[in-house]
Amino acid sequence: AMDFHSDNAAGVHPAVLEAVARAAGPHPRGYDADDWSARLDGAFSDLFGTPVRAFAVPSGTAANALGLAACVPPFGGVWCHNEAHIEVDEAGAVGFYTGGGSLMLVPAPHGKLTTAVLDEAAARRRGDVHQVQPAALSLTQATEAGTVYAPAEVAALAGWAKARGLTVHMDGARFANAVARLGCHPGDISWKAGVDILSFGCIKNGGMSAEALLLFRPELAETIPVRRKRAGLMPSKGRFAAAQLLAMIEDGVWLENARAANAGAAAIAAAVPDRLLWPAEANELFLRLTAEERETLRAAGFGFYDWELAGPDAARFVVRWDQDMDAIRALVAAIARL
């Protein structure tokens, strides 16, 4: 209960378990021909208010890499933040699934890209045949710094990309937390703002073993079925993955859980404003703690990561959707005693 390492440690929401149990009996059709998988496109289209092609995959890494493989050739590049998950935590998956595509890293404060920093990065390139050719822009929502892109910010970045003929991908591992924070329609920070491909996260947010790869441009979805099969990411009993996703989105569980996680993080942030390295806008907090203070908290039973990317005195705390409020209050009290 006192562990704040990651929302990957969160439990599975009862609605998800119940949905899997309901799908557990025999079914005459496998792969994507089952009744649950057949509902995915319609359910996500209803959620986003536009036609969507939806594919269940077992991880966010799979969603990101397969989505980018649909638009990035082997000689292509993906503009992204230098701390993006596709760079720091996915073991070169984008290069593997694209057959050689590269990540074009751009540093920026608070985990957020801007058109200004992208202009600066682009200006440093020759852009000739000797260099990787940009093919996509990847944004993370919410960011790896726990901050959130507002609709206008997404639209500005997507406009920058589209003016250069680039496809816009969004890593939405914590997309629900961003929507909960902004109080907006999910379409406002995705297809309406110019996003073409979205990795819709569920596992961190109460799911069990399924994420969704969503494509808002149908032509980008044409090669995904065979790419997913060839990569070994298409389960024969796909109904279990589809049932999880449907349980998350059809009754609002995805947003309810995100609101709970955000509320816990906001409670901690409000109690320790002077220690915040960046604004806490979703369910991640980055706090300034000395090595001695971190040791004291761990000795008291709290779990969290040191975050060297943000400096020697940085620590990351992630609040789960099912985090015990007593643990949140205990953390606040323990930090106050430091």
Side-chain angles (χ1 to χ4, degrees):
M2 293 168 64
D3 185 83
F4 293 86
H5 276 102
S6 172
D7 38 10
N8 284 313
V12 179
H13 194 277
V16 173
L17 292 174
E18 292 165 7
V20 171
R22 287 194 298 272
H27 193 280
R29 294 178 298 278
Y31 296 99
D32 287 348
D34 63 86
D35 297 341
W36 291 264
S37 297
R39 289 166 49 200
L40 284 179
D41 285 358
F44 277 103
S45 296
D46 290 343
L47 182 66
F48 281 85
T50 192
V52 173
R53 287 298 312 279
F55 298 88
V57 292
S59 70
T61 296
N64 287 334
L66 286 175
L68 286 166
C71 61
V72 179
F75 52 82
V78 181
W79 291 110
C80 65
H81 195 279
N82 68 315
E83 295 178 18
H85 201 269
I86 57 175
E87 160 64 13
V88 177
D89 289 299
E90 295 188 357
V94 172
F96 181 76
Y97 282 95
T98 60
S102 302
L103 300 181
M104 304 167 67
L105 308 179
V106 182
H110 300 174
K112 296 174 70 174
L113 295 174
T114 64
T115 57
V117 298
L118 287 169
D119 280 337
E120 292 174 7
R124 291 193 291 269
R125 289 176 44 82
R126 297 191 311 272
D128 58 26
V129 71
H130 301 287
Q131 294 192 302
V132 166
Q133 304 300 303
L137 169 68
S138 181
L139 307 174
T140 308
Q141 179 77 304
T143 74
E144 297 298 330
T147 52
V148 168
Y149 287 106
E153 292 175 306
V154 177
L157 289 162
W160 183 93
K162 297 298 177 64
R164 292 158 176 79
L166 310 181
T167 303
V168 181
H169 163 266
M170 178 172 281
D171 178 350
R174 297 185 178 92
F175 182 82
N177 301 94
V179 173
R181 165 72 183 196
L182 295 167
C184 66
H185 187 276
D188 293 341
I189 52 171
S190 57
W191 66 273
K192 290 183 181 179
V195 174
D196 302 304
I197 302 169
L198 172 65
S199 300
F200 184 90
C202 285
I203 294 175
K204 289 179 170 64
N205 195 34
M208 182 170 65
S209 57
E211 308 273 67
L213 169 59
L214 308 182
L215 299 106
F216 300 109
R217 286 169 46 196
E219 71 273 16
L220 293 175
E222 292 175 359
T223 66
I224 294 298
V226 70
R227 290 182 187 277
R228 185 173 58 140
K229 176 64 179 178
R230 183 174 182 265
L233 299 172
M234 184 182 187
S236 63
K237 296 182 181 178
R239 65 185 185 276
F240 294 112
Q244 294 177 52
L245 298 173
L246 294 170
M248 288 291 291
I249 67 171
E250 289 189 328
D251 293 323
V253 171
W254 71 288
L255 201 51
E256 176 187 336
N257 287 357
R259 286 171 177 152
N262 286 6
I268 299 170
V272 295
D274 294 342
R275 290 186 178 270
L276 289 175
L277 291 170
W278 303 301
E281 297 178 342
N283 65 320
E284 293 180 284
L285 304 101
F286 295 82
L287 304 183
R288 186 178 296 103
L289 295 165
T290 66
E292 182 180 4
E293 289 173 332
R294 298 197 297 275
E295 182 179 344
T296 298
L297 290 177
R298 289 188 171 109
F302 296 99
F304 55 92
Y305 281 120
D306 295 340
W307 210 251
E308 296 86 353
L309 289 171
D313 288 341
R316 188 190 79 162
F317 296 77
V318 184
V319 179
R320 310 188 305 267
W321 70 271
D322 57 354
Q323 197 88 46
D324 191 312
M325 285 305 296
D326 288 340
I328 290 173
R329 287 189 283 267
L331 176 62
V332 168
I335 293 175
R337 290 192 297 269
L338 292 176

